[in-house]
Amino acid sequence: MDRRRKTLPVIKTDADIERMVEEHNLILPGANGQSPVSPSSSRTTSTRTASSTNQLSQSPPDDSSLVRPSPSKPVRPKETTASLLLPPAVPGRWIRLAEEEKPVFQRHSVGLTEIPGVVRTLKPPTYNPERQLETRLVIIMVGLPARGKSYIVKKLRRYLNWLQYETKVFNVGNTRRTQKASPSDQSAKFFDPDNNEMKKIRDDIAMDVLEHLIEWLKKGKQSRVAIHDATNSTISRRQLLIERLSNEPKIKILLLESICTDQTVLERNFRLKLLGPDYKNIDPVQALEDFRSRVANYERAYEPLGDWEEERDLEYCKLINVGKKVVAYNISGYLSGQCVFYLMNFNLSDRQIFVTRHGQSTDNLDDRIGGDASLTPLGRRFGKALERFISQQRKSFAMSMARRKQEQLEDAYGFDKLDLLDPSHDGEAREELLNKTAEALSSSQFTVWTSMLKRSMETAASFSPEDYDIKHIRYLNEINSGGRECMTYEEIQRLYPQEFKARQENKLYYRYPGMGGESYIDVIHRLQPLIIELERMTQSCLIITHRVVLRIILGYLLDWSREEMPHMLVPIHTVYEYRPKPYGSELKKWRYVEEKDTFEEF
Ligand code: F6P
């Protein structure tokens, strides 16, 4: 039975490699850079079974396939012809480099992918810089309409880009709406699965988008992950996409299906669709009716991920009801693993995320960077005012949540029913109920995170552990400026002008010299577990941190580009309030007004 190893690959011995070469009839680059020789050149590589020709068997990330035969599950006869046209399988970590009769292979990079300044893969002597060593990942979305696919891909794109894996979404719906060749009538009829002509048009659009996606992945120097955002809800459609991708030896595939069985969420999603570009200027009742028939059309032909993908050893993940249940099959690539882990951890809870820098420190007065200074009297006043502000915000948020709960109840049962249940449910009683609910909600968990530096912990000094879950976290410490700790920018510029210039020119990647010195990229990677935690938790929170960390956290939440993020203005005594919403987010900014000792929105 084909069991894919889930641990890091073990380097093979020469004997293993020789055996593999013999078994798979490979040609390896000559060790001294001379032209490669084939140990068994009389054999041909083009007679593999159809099941071994899928993309995974071409470039699996996992060395276990070096010595095991490709999966040999039975293949349905109707697919054999198309699948046999695919390029021959290349086992293990070898990439096919040339199309000649005797193909040449180059070592293929596995596991952790290249991150400038953080992960560097040593290139073999035969490495051709023209060719990318790293595999690219294509995520094929799957799911009926209104299952939150576009929401998921936006989130995933934001996260991967934040981690510096350049990611782009290719949305098929947008092309369908704008492409000249598309029919003007795109009502439910256009999505009828029995109408072959329309089906062909839809498939062609999806394939067209796939071509753009492949071009972006191959041409973009930084391109890493491309997401094909469409329903792709039938096997025949997925087969088209996968067969085309199988011609690209360094592209891996992850299929990602979103399933929603929660009727309330579905109804809300349906209504949100009416605000989208397909139903602009259309009467909402008519639009809703049309959208329902479109969904019904898709449902008729829907084939969820399953046996077909498993028979082909593909990687897939099913997200059921916003990650309540996750099914992951055959996930073995590094980037796929990162995606699945991220998607397993997010939720749609309504909550407040406040982020701020510490109060003014004595080092801030002198413009000194780094260090571990204490707060000034003004900084301490800010800390006290912050506690009052958060406590008020927490209460008013709880009140609005309670009001919403009450409205939902009233919507569900109607006033009459409520009155029936309890004759005293007049206006006053309802208000009392509301207050009680708000009180209960506001005393529910609220987390405060600080760094382990004095200025950050002192800012949180007024928060009581009775009322708040307070954590001091080292990950939130400010960037370590190594040998330049406690200096001013003016001193650095005067004493180390080259370094100063280098940092100005590339702040993101510049790493401070000396013990422990970090770059923005280093800080991003140490913050990764906290971002996952932020996505995972459902309660509100306040994060008290430092300039670089704040920029990086806001960069993630607000999708700032890597160019702008290190330069964003984030002054002290400013609080950012971020509210995740099922479709987007909301941001408020509050400034501490010294004279009034209070906060004002701006
Ligand atoms: O000056 C405060 C501070 O948090 C320093 O400790 C840190 O080195 C600096 O800001 C980071 O800002 P920038 O990346 O713009 O130099």
Side-chain angles (χ1 to χ4, degrees):
M1 188 169 167
D2 170 30
R3 288 220 179 274
R4 194 161 278 271
R5 186 173 48 227
K6 299 290 178 198
T7 53
L8 280 176
V10 176
I11 301 296
K12 304 289 168 202
T13 62
D14 285 354
D16 283 336
I17 293 177
E18 271 162 31
R19 194 170 58 246
M20 183 273 295
V21 164
E22 182 64 31
E23 263 176 29
H24 296 277
N25 186 31
L26 297 182
I27 302 172
L28 305 178
N32 53 8
Q34 286 164 4
S35 47
V37 281
S38 165
S40 52
S41 51
S42 60
R43 284 201 221 154
T44 159
T45 52
S46 61
T47 52
R48 300 194 182 278
T49 60
S51 63
S52 70
T53 57
N54 65 35
Q55 78 51 248
L56 265 180
S57 34
Q58 282 177 56
S59 52
D62 174 12
D63 284 20
S64 56
S65 58
L66 265 174
V67 287
R68 67 166 165 77
S70 303
S72 55
K73 292 229 176 125
V75 173
R76 296 172 200 184
K78 65 173 176 135
E79 288 140 17
T80 313
T81 325
S83 308
L84 278 173
L85 293 176
L86 302 178
V90 181
R93 53 182 122 111
W94 305 98
I95 294 172
R96 181 179 175 149
L97 283 187
E99 295 304 318
E100 300 89 76
E101 205 180 311
K102 290 175 188 172
V104 177
F105 293 90
Q106 176 174 292
R107 186 177 290 275
H108 166 44
S109 177
V110 291
L112 273 175
T113 74
E114 192 96 351
I115 307 164
V118 180
V119 178
R120 195 174 67 227
T121 313
L122 289 195
K123 314 287 184 287
T126 46
Y127 173 66
N128 177 350
E130 294 280 288
R131 301 171 196 278
Q132 295 155 342
L133 194 66
E134 300 277 340
T135 17
R136 273 51 181 148
L137 177 68
V138 171
I139 300 177
I140 299 178
M141 293 306 294
V142 175
L144 293 168
R147 264 54 182 185
K149 292 186 295 301
S150 295
Y151 174 80
I152 291 170
V153 302
K154 275 187 205 143
K155 233 176 137 65
L156 198 54
R157 181 196 57 75
R158 181 158 62 87
Y159 177 65
L160 292 171
N161 272 327
W162 176 81
L163 277 177
Q164 310 303 309
Y165 302 121
E166 187 135 339
T167 303
K168 191 168 170 180
V169 175
F170 293 81
N171 182 287
V172 176
N174 290 342
T175 310
R176 167 176 60 75
R177 279 181 287 271
T178 53
Q179 210 177 53
K180 279 207 189 92
S182 305
S184 51
D185 179 6
Q186 295 194 9
S187 62
K189 278 183 282 178
F190 178 60
F191 303 91
D192 178 353
D194 300 324
N195 184 333
N196 287 335
E197 194 192 332
M198 295 303 154
K199 181 176 173 297
K200 166 96 175 49
I201 296 177
R202 285 186 284 116
D203 283 348
D204 286 350
I205 298 172
M207 294 307 284
D208 226 46
V209 171
L210 184 71
E211 287 308 324
H212 285 114
L213 175 156
I214 293 173
E215 193 182 306
W216 177 81
L217 268 188
K218 284 167 75 174
K219 296 230 169 102
K221 253 186 141 182
Q222 308 271 336
S223 310
R224 279 297 167 74
V225 184
I227 309 181
H228 192 267
D229 183 14
T231 54
N232 300 324
S233 54
T234 60
I235 290 178
S236 70
R237 162 71 70 81
R238 297 199 287 274
Q239 185 169 9
L240 283 176
L241 297 170
I242 288 163
E243 285 188 355
R244 170 63 189 92
L245 286 167
S246 300
N247 291 327
E248 303 297 335
K250 277 175 289 175
I251 292 183
K252 274 177 58 63
I253 303 173
L254 169 67
L255 293 139
L256 185 58
E257 180 171 22
S258 176
I259 296 174
C260 177
T261 57
D262 183 332
Q263 213 44 48
T264 327
V265 176
L266 276 180
E267 281 302 320
R268 192 188 55 196
N269 289 357
F270 282 13
R271 277 166 176 75
L272 277 162
K273 279 278 174 190
L274 307 187
L275 309 171
D278 273 334
Y279 294 108
K280 221 163 136 193
N281 305 326
I282 296 185
D283 167 60
V285 178
Q286 216 183 315
L288 189 59
E289 199 182 313
D290 182 79
F291 188 68
R292 284 191 201 283
S293 1
R294 184 200 293 191
V295 174
N297 270 339
Y298 271 101
E299 274 166 350
R300 274 199 295 138
Y302 181 36
E303 291 167 301
L305 296 178
D307 291 349
W308 188 86
E309 284 71 22
E310 291 176 21
E311 279 165 16
R312 277 144 199 86
D313 214 16
L314 291 160
E315 296 189 28
Y316 76 69
C317 174
K318 280 170 187 268
L319 279 180
I320 301 154
N321 293 333
V322 204
K324 223 175 203 170
K325 180 170 168 184
V326 177
V327 179
Y329 179 81
N330 196 25
I331 303 295
S332 54
Y334 176 76
L335 281 174
S336 328
Q338 291 286 314
C339 295
V340 173
F341 180 57
Y342 175 71
L343 293 171
M344 277 174 71
N345 281 292
F346 83 94
N347 70 82
L348 298 178
S349 305
D350 206 349
R351 61 206 164 113
Q352 297 170 295
I353 299 174
F354 294 96
V355 203
T356 185
R357 286 173 65 185
H358 54 82
Q360 185 191 61
S361 72
T362 52
D363 272 348
N364 286 146
L365 293 178
D366 302 337
D367 266 344
R368 296 206 173 272
I369 64 168
D372 194 13
S374 276
L375 295 185
T376 63
L378 174 60
R380 280 198 290 276
R381 274 214 304 146
F382 167 78
K384 284 186 186 144
L386 183 66
E387 193 279 330
R388 290 195 301 274
F389 169 73
I390 293 293
S391 152
Q392 272 163 19
Q393 289 297 315
R394 195 177 167 186
K395 279 198 190 102
S396 60
F397 176 71
M399 195 55 133
S400 68
M401 291 280 281
R403 199 158 279 136
R404 186 130 58 88
K405 267 208 165 138
Q406 179 73 2
E407 278 164 13
Q408 277 167 0
L409 263 178
E410 289 175 354
D411 269 0
Y413 296 110
F415 287 103
D416 293 352
K417 189 98 180 259
L418 274 181
D419 288 347
L420 267 181
L421 288 173
D422 179 355
S424 73
H425 260 214
D426 53 15
E428 220 172 279
R430 252 202 307 274
E431 198 55 36
E432 198 185 316
L433 190 72
L434 206 64
N435 284 335
K436 280 216 174 86
T437 322
E439 212 178 285
L441 285 172
S442 79
S443 59
S444 65
Q445 285 282 28
F446 191 110
T447 297
V448 178
W449 288 350
T450 78
S451 78
M452 281 196 170
L453 294 171
K454 274 191 249 159
R455 54 197 187 277
S456 166
M457 293 191 289
E458 285 172 11
T459 307
S462 304
F463 288 83
S464 155
E466 292 273 326
D467 299 330
Y468 295 89
D469 174 34
I470 305 169
K471 287 187 167 55
H472 303 309
I473 307 171
R474 202 164 185 277
Y475 293 142
L476 288 171
N477 281 10
E478 182 53 311
I479 191 170
N480 185 320
S481 31
R484 309 296 164 252
E485 280 280 297
C486 299
M487 291 177 75
T488 66
Y489 289 118
E490 192 270 323
E491 285 166 350
I492 300 176
Q493 188 171 16
R494 185 161 38 82
L495 298 170
Y496 308 99
Q498 296 301 335
E499 273 179 26
F500 187 80
K501 190 163 166 272
R503 186 162 196 268
Q504 298 275 41
E505 282 166 6
N506 194 350
K507 221 170 162 190
L508 191 64
Y509 291 113
Y510 175 87
R511 178 178 290 135
Y512 278 108
M515 189 77 127
E518 287 179 302
S519 66
Y520 269 77
I521 296 282
D522 293 332
V523 181
I524 289 177
H525 286 273
R526 81 159 131 92
L527 285 174
Q528 191 180 358
L530 281 192
I531 293 294
I532 296 287
E533 183 58 12
L534 203 57
E535 288 291 353
R536 194 198 59 77
M537 65 196 212
T538 50
Q539 70 270 30
S540 293
C541 71
L542 163 69
I543 305 174
I544 304 173
T545 181
H546 307 264
R547 180 148 59 184
V548 172
V549 175
L550 180 66
R551 278 182 180 141
I552 292 175
I553 293 176
L554 285 182
Y556 167 72
L557 294 174
L558 305 176
D559 202 10
W560 288 344
S561 73
R562 63 180 64 121
E563 288 79 27
E564 63 186 346
M565 184 267 283
H567 302 277
M568 295 302 271
L569 202 66
V570 285
I572 54 168
H573 298 182
T574 306
V575 178
Y576 301 85
E577 180 192 350
Y578 177 87
R579 291 269 301 272
K581 297 272 170 187
Y583 289 87
S585 60
E586 214 176 79
L587 179 78
K588 283 185 183 171
K589 289 189 278 181
W590 308 84
R591 181 188 297 129
Y592 173 60
V593 186
E594 234 180 284
E595 306 74 46
K596 298 188 190 159
D597 195 20
T598 179
F599 284 80
E600 271 176 9
E601 198 178 339
F602 69 102

